[in-house]
Amino acid sequence: MKQILNRRHMKKTVYFILFLTLSISALFFFQVWQNNRDIPAPATAEIQQHFDRSINWLNDNYAQLKDSNNPILWWFIKQAALTSDDKTLDHLFKQYKKERIDSEPVNLSTPMFEPLYRPRIPDISAFSGLDAYQIFLFYGFSCDADLGSEPLIQQQLEPDFCSLHFIHPRCVTHQLMGLRFMQRFECGNEDKVANTISTLQETLVTELTWDFRVTDSYIQRVLLLLDTGAYDKIKPVWIKNILLAQNPDGSWDDLLPLLPLSDGRVLALTSTTVKIQKQKASFHASAQAIWLLSMLIEESGHQRD
C-alpha cells in the first residue's frame, strides 16, 4: 500500500513539474512573439511627446543628476542635445559642464567633452580595478598605442569577445561603445573595426529577438544599433516597447515588474537578476533613452525626406 501511495505521489509530482514546465515555456514563447510582432512604426509625434516628457524629468531633477559619478551619461545628454538641437537639453548640458567638468582637473574621461585633448595613459596595471570594457573605452578616448597593443584591448576588437553575451547582457553593447569611440577618434584599423561592428549588430538583433525584458540593457541594445547605423535592423515593436516602458514622471528604470507587492514594492526582473524593490527612476537608463529618442526623431525626418 505504501509503495502504491509513493507511486501516486511520484506521478503527481512529475505531472506538476511537466505542467509547470509547459506553462513557463508557453508564457516565454508568447512574450517572445509579443516582442517581435509586426506593428506600424510609432509616429514621429508620438516619439516627440515621450522625448519632451523625458527632458522635463531631466530638468526637474538636474540638481541631483549633476552629481552623477558616471560622466558618460552626461555625454549621452550632450549627444542628444546636438542631435535634437533642443534648447533645454543644451542648457542643461552646458550647465553640467560648467559646474562639474570645467571646474575639475582634466582626466581620462575628458576627451568625451574636449575632443582635442589626449590624456596621458598610465601602464595597464593602473587599471586593475576596472572592468575590461572601461579600459577599452579609455583606449577609444586616447588612441594610446601602448594600451592598444595590450591583449585585453586586442581581444575586444574581435566579434567573439562576448562569448557568454546572454549571461552578460551588456557585454556586446559595451564593446560596441568602445568600437564607436575608436571610430570617432580614428583609432586602429578602420576596416577591422567596421567589420567587427557589423557582426556585433547581428548579435544585438539576436539578443533583442529573444530577450523581451524592456530594461536598461534592452534600451542600450536599440541605442547601439541606431548609433552604429543599423536603423533598418530595429523592429518598430522594440521602439514601441521602450516608449511604453517610460515612467509617468518621464524617466525609465531597470525593472520589468512581474507582481505588485506591499508598500509600493514590486517583484521584478532587471537586466541581470530578480529584485524586490520600489520602482524609481534610473539616470543610466533614462540618459540612454533620451539620446535614443533624439536619434529616432532625426531618423524619422530623414525617412520623410
Side-chain angles (χ1 to χ4, degrees):
M1 186 70 176
K2 188 175 180 180
Q3 288 181 338
I4 294 174
L5 289 175
N6 285 340
R7 285 175 190 158
R8 286 178 179 172
H9 179 71
M10 182 68 70
K11 264 188 182 180
K12 287 181 179 179
T13 302
V14 170
Y15 287 150
F16 175 75
I17 292 173
L18 181 60
F19 171 77
L20 191 61
T21 302
L22 290 174
S23 298
I24 293 173
S25 298
L27 180 60
F28 172 78
F29 284 108
F30 174 75
Q31 292 294 340
V32 170
W33 172 80
Q34 285 272 75
N35 185 53
N36 292 278
R37 69 193 190 282
D38 189 21
I39 66 168
T44 305
E46 181 183 1
I47 299 174
Q48 184 70 53
Q49 288 176 353
H50 287 267
F51 183 59
D52 292 342
R53 286 171 54 200
S54 68
I55 295 172
N56 290 336
W57 170 80
L58 186 69
N59 189 40
D60 291 343
N61 293 275
Y62 172 77
Q64 295 79 38
L65 300 176
K66 70 181 176 65
D67 294 326
S68 166
N69 61 358
N70 193 344
I72 198 169
L73 301 182
W74 280 100
W75 183 84
F76 294 155
I77 301 302
K78 171 189 173 183
Q79 297 306 109
L82 291 172
T83 302
S84 66
D85 199 27
D86 183 90
K87 292 182 180 179
T88 302
L89 273 184
D90 183 62
H91 169 73
L92 289 172
F93 170 71
K94 287 179 177 176
Q95 188 173 346
Y96 166 78
K97 186 174 184 295
K98 179 181 178 181
E99 293 179 2
R100 293 301 308 269
I101 302 299
D102 297 344
S103 63
E104 297 177 359
V106 295
N107 55 54
L108 296 179
S109 298
T110 298
M112 286 191 293
F113 306 103
E114 302 291 347
L116 297 180
Y117 173 73
R118 288 294 179 272
R120 182 178 178 181
I121 300 297
D123 183 85
I124 195 170
S125 61
F127 297 119
S128 59
L130 300 181
D131 292 326
Y133 82 89
Q134 293 173 309
I135 304 172
F136 192 36
L137 286 176
F138 287 134
Y139 169 62
F141 298 159
S142 67
C143 300
D144 183 84
D146 291 336
L147 183 58
S149 65
E150 292 284 347
L152 184 64
I153 300 301
Q154 291 297 310
Q155 290 164 11
Q156 294 183 79
L157 298 177
E158 300 298 329
D160 61 353
F161 173 73
C162 298
S163 56
L164 300 175
H165 58 94
F166 273 107
I167 298 175
H168 304 286
R170 297 188 189 96
C171 183
V172 174
T173 49
H174 284 159
Q175 184 182 2
L176 277 168
M177 285 183 190
L179 292 165
R180 284 292 287 128
F181 275 111
M182 286 182 66
Q183 286 185 326
R184 288 183 171 95
F185 290 101
E186 300 181 351
C187 301
N189 184 301
E190 182 180 339
D191 290 337
K192 170 73 172 177
V193 171
N195 289 335
T196 300
I197 286 175
S198 180
T199 301
L200 293 180
Q201 287 172 345
E202 298 302 327
T203 304
L204 286 189
V205 170
T206 300
E207 290 181 346
L208 281 162
T209 298
W210 291 100
D211 188 355
F212 52 82
R213 298 169 300 164
V214 187
T215 56
D216 181 282
S217 60
Y218 191 102
I219 296 169
Q220 197 170 98
R221 288 163 181 158
V222 178
L223 171 64
L224 266 295
L225 279 178
L226 190 50
D227 184 48
T228 57
Y231 176 77
D232 60 318
K233 298 182 186 298
I234 299 173
K235 296 180 181 181
V237 69
W238 298 342
I239 299 172
K240 186 69 172 180
N241 288 344
I242 291 172
L243 298 181
L244 292 174
Q246 187 177 29
N247 294 321
D249 65 357
S251 69
W252 282 262
D253 54 47
D254 189 36
L255 292 177
L256 177 65
L258 298 176
L259 184 67
L261 303 172
S262 60
D263 301 325
R265 297 176 303 156
V266 293
L267 173 66
L269 297 175
T270 72
S271 293
T272 56
T273 187
V274 179
K275 280 188 177 180
I276 295 177
Q277 67 176 54
K278 292 183 179 181
Q279 287 185 272
K280 62 179 180 178
S282 161
F283 186 32
H284 195 279
S286 301
Q288 294 176 122
I290 290 170
W291 184 24
L292 170 61
L293 296 193
S294 74
M295 288 195 287
L296 287 172
I297 293 168
E298 180 185 49
E299 189 64 40
S300 296
H302 292 163
Q303 296 295 316
R304 289 197 303 271
D305 295 340

